[in-house]
């Protein structure tokens, strides 16, 4: 039995939240389930600045999703930047909206709500002057500078659809995304900075654009001042473009279901999917979950140390906190720069009260010892969040005991790019926690565990995690490919949204996410498809075939294990791993690294030619005795060779 941790007094006392107890949670969860329209119409009207208030709640359902997209508040109109900026000007104009901490400790910048509003208007006016139209896609390829958030909001201000591409992605990955959403304008910066190193964002962008004649403008924010190559007919400096722009630009009115952004994420096939989030439902969900889960208070200094290139950065650095009028910290550096004390140094200097990071960072920091934590004053902290991958109980306890000094509640928030915002989670002032458990669903989330026969499990058990009802923040479709959206999420278990995760539920109804049950890897919180790695590997000259699986890794959560079959006559040599990782860096990005390469005579395939990944996984996990039935293999002898040559990790 996992111990139940009560909510510490520092968290529960004086909570302004409408969900400050388990009774409140139960009541709201039931209200949202029984009367979703009424519940969410009330929420959205209270949170967003509507131009025309909606009269409709939900339309569509999971049974009919191939024919009709789910929609929320469909007859309302708004511009989301009025919810994030304009609605705060009268009451919070001088409050800090963005608190930026640069790569070097103590390099800071602040933007008040009034200043942010002006900067967003100017950037929006600049985009408008470049001819960017409502509905047009704009790629944002930047590091963690305030201008990345300004760029997102500037697109939203004119109704353009942004697609942020993480600054670690390679030119090839960037080009795929530019093409997929047919973007004509890209916003980038000269260089990024991270951990004392520069990242050549403009140069990579230039490389991605070679031959892409439809890219007509590249807007470049100058950050480090390093010289960059320049195409005068295409490239525009940000500072030139905003110089004479309007600091008070009227927002373009959008329909509730107009797309707000496209964000690409990996699945079990080689090609990333552009998930589409729409204006009003997403914003309502971002605002509601950000306020309730973290128990946001007016004076909080809220720090989510993710990157805006991922959904966490979209929802919990930019849209949720700004809609709620919070002070949101943007962090350019890494948890280990200049040393493992960086987060806590920042917590002390900025008096951070809510802190949100990933298990991989927690594990990496715990491995460096407690001194890096305890030398800083962390008494401002009240809520500690984690997201991105399952957190092991040891890391959870270190976060709770050492970082939070047993005075903070830990919110282990389970969600996905597809869910738009937090789905299963403790509510900071209300939910007693258990190490390793994301606990209970948010209102609107109806988790269902399906067994091997696709039947719902009642009570405790373990199965595939599905969600049974639509929620406002769900992605509505895949950009340009609704069929793929339906096939990926709604065809495995008709009538349900299938998350791709496994989950155990205990007798208290608490959820423990066990990890992906599809061919998706989660390495340091980065989601990558095994098929993406395999496609890269077979592009390496010496490699004929490849099978990639994950294995448990003490810091990264999962490591990447590649089985490769060489081309006839190819010499494996010591350079194979180097060549493989160079190809990963070039075709995916610096965050995609293979940990182990094992050369095998063949992959274990069924007679119909399907690779039996189960076998590859067991060997990589160091459990070859648990291989199970291999009699259906076309050539059972390859298994012996695979086991004999297995690399111990
Ligand atoms: C996958 C989604 C959600 C923003 C960051 C990742 C895993 C996420 C947890 C958690 C266990 C988690 C799941 C999920 N995941 N949060 N608290 N406990 N697993 O978004 O890149 O779309 O990845 O991350 O496997 O399916 P993403």
């Amino acid at each position: 039995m996992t111990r139940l941790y009560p909510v510490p007094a520092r968290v529960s006392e004086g909570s302004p939240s409408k969900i400050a107890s388990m009774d409140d949670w139960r009541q709201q969860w039931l209200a949202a389930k029984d009367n979703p329209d009424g519940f969410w119409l009330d929420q959205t009207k209270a949170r967003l600045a509507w131009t025309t208030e909606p009269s409709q709640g939900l339309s569509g359902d999971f049974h009919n999703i191939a024919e009709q997209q789910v929609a929320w508040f469909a007859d309302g109109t708004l511009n989301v930047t009025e919810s994030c900026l304009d609605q705060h000007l009268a009451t919070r104009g001088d409050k800090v909206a963005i608190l930026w901490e640069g790569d070097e400790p103590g390099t800071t910048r602040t933007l008040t709500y009034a200043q942010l509003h002006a900067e967003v208007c100017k950037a929006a006016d600049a985009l408008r002057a470049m001819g960017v139209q409502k509905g047009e896609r704009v790629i944002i390829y930047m590091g963690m500078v305030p201008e990345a958030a300004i760029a997102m909001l500037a697109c939203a201000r004119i109704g353009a659809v942004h697609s942020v591409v993480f600054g670690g992605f390679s030119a090839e990955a960037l080009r795929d995304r530019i093409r997929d959403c047919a973007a004509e304008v890209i916003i980038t910066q000269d260089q990024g900075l991270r951990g004392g190193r520069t990242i050549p964002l403009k140069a990579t962008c230039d490389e991605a654009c070679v031959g892409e004649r439809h890219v007509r403008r590249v807007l470049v924010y100058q950050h480090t001042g390093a010289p960059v190559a320049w195409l005068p007919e295409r490239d525009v400096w940000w500072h030139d473009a905003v110089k004479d722009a309007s600091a008070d630009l009227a927002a373009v009115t959008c329909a509730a279901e107009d797309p707000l952004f496209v964000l690409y994420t990996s699945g079990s096939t080689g090609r990333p999917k552009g998930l589409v989030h729409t204006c009003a439902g997403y914003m309502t969900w971002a605002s509601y979950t950000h306020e309730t889960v973290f128990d946001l208070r007016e004076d909080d200094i809220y720090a989510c140390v993710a990157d805006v290139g991922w959904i966490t950065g979209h929802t919990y650095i930019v849209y949720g906190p700004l809609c709620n009028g919070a002070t949101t910290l943007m962090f350019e550096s890494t948890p280990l720069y200049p040393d493992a004390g960086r987060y806590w140094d920042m917590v002390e200097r900025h008096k951070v009260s809510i802190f949100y990071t990933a298990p991989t960072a927690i594990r990496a920091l715990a491995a460096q010892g407690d001194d890096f934590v305890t030398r800083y004053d962390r008494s401002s902290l009240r809520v500690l969040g984690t997201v991105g991958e399952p957190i092991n109980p040891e890391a959870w306890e270190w976060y709770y005991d050492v970082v939070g000094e047993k005075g903070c509640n830990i919110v282990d928030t389970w969600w996905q790019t597809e869910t738009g915002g937090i789905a299963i989670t403790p509510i900071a002032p209300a939910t007693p926690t258990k190490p390793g458990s994301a606990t209970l669903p948010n209102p609107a989330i109806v988790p269902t565990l399906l067994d091997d026969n696709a039947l719902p499990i009642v009570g405790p058990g373990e199965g595939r995690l599905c969600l049974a009802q639509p929620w406002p923040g769900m992605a509505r479709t895949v950009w340009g490919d609704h069929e793929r959206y339906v096939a990926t999420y709604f065809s495995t278990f008709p009538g349900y949204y299938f998350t791709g995760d496994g989950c155990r539920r205990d007798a208290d109804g608490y959820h423990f996410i066990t990890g992906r049950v599809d061919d998706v890897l989660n390495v340091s919180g980065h989601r990558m498809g095994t098929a993406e790695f395999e496609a890269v590997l077979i592009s390496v000259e010496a490699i004929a075939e490849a099978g990639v699986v994950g294995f448990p890794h003490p810091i990264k959560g999962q490591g990447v294990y590649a089985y490769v079959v060489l081309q006839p006559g190819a010499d494996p040599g010591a350079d194979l791993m180097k060549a493989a990782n160079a190809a990963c860096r070039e075709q995916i990005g610096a965050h995609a690294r293979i940990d182990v390469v094992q050369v095998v005579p063949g992959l274990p395939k069924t007679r119909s030619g399907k690779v039996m990944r189960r076998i590859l996984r067991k060997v990589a996990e160091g459990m070859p005795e648990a291989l199970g039935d291999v009699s259906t293999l076309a050539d059972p002898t390859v298994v012996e060779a695979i086991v004999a040559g297995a690399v111990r990790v």
Side-chain angles (χ1 to χ4, degrees), residues 80-324:
V80 302
T81 67
E82 295 192 324
S83 300
C84 293
L85 303 168
D86 305 60
Q87 78 166 341
H88 304 307
L89 291 179
T91 50
R92 299 186 176 108
D94 295 328
K95 179 173 177 175
V96 174
I98 294 182
L99 166 55
W100 179 75
E101 164 108 1
D103 195 40
E104 293 303 324
T107 332
T108 59
R109 249 177 86 189
T110 57
L111 285 157
T112 65
Y113 273 93
Q115 289 166 334
L116 183 62
H117 173 264
E119 295 303 320
V120 168
C121 285
K122 284 195 260 177
D125 197 25
L127 290 174
R128 194 195 48 76
M130 289 177 181
V132 177
Q133 308 276 329
K134 178 169 185 272
E136 193 179 325
R137 277 79 52 214
V138 174
I139 292 268
I140 300 176
Y141 183 65
M142 299 180 83
M144 286 297 291
V145 290
E147 281 66 21
I150 293 170
M152 293 162 75
L153 293 163
C155 290
R157 189 88 177 164
I158 57 171
V161 180
H162 61 71
S163 184
V164 183
V165 177
F166 173 58
F169 275 114
S170 69
E172 282 189 36
L174 175 59
R175 184 185 306 129
D176 289 345
R177 287 155 177 78
I178 295 170
R179 277 188 195 166
D180 188 82
C181 69
E184 295 180 16
V185 172
I186 305 175
I187 309 178
T188 188
Q189 63 192 69
D190 51 359
Q191 291 182 319
L193 282 175
R194 225 169 154 259
R197 285 192 238 174
T198 56
I199 300 155
L201 292 167
K202 170 70 162 66
T204 306
C205 177
D206 286 344
E207 198 187 327
C209 291
V210 171
E212 301 299 301
R213 299 247 288 280
H214 57 280
V215 176
R216 49 185 180 84
R217 283 281 179 277
V218 176
L219 181 61
V220 188
Y221 173 69
Q222 188 169 45
H223 184 43
T224 65
V228 288
W230 204 255
L231 277 184
E233 64 281 12
R234 185 197 67 185
D235 300 347
V236 184
W237 282 113
W238 177 296
H239 52 259
D240 287 336
V242 300
K243 209 167 36 211
D244 300 316
S246 165
D248 191 12
L249 184 80
V252 169
T253 302
C254 300
E257 285 292 339
D258 279 345
L260 174 60
F261 64 85
V262 176
L263 187 59
Y264 287 85
T265 192
S266 300
S268 35
T269 68
R271 214 161 38 92
K273 292 182 287 287
L275 288 159
V276 178
H277 282 285
T278 57
C279 293
Y282 170 80
M283 280 299 297
T284 306
W285 189 240
S287 165
Y288 176 82
T289 55
H290 176 257
E291 184 183 317
T292 58
V293 170
F294 297 106
D295 191 29
L296 184 73
R297 308 183 187 190
E298 189 60 46
D299 296 330
D300 273 326
I301 304 293
Y302 164 85
C304 167
V305 289
D307 191 287
V308 288
W310 312 115
I311 189 72
T312 309
H314 284 61
T315 310
Y316 296 111
I317 296 176
V318 181
Y319 288 112
L322 294 178
C323 186
N324 292 336

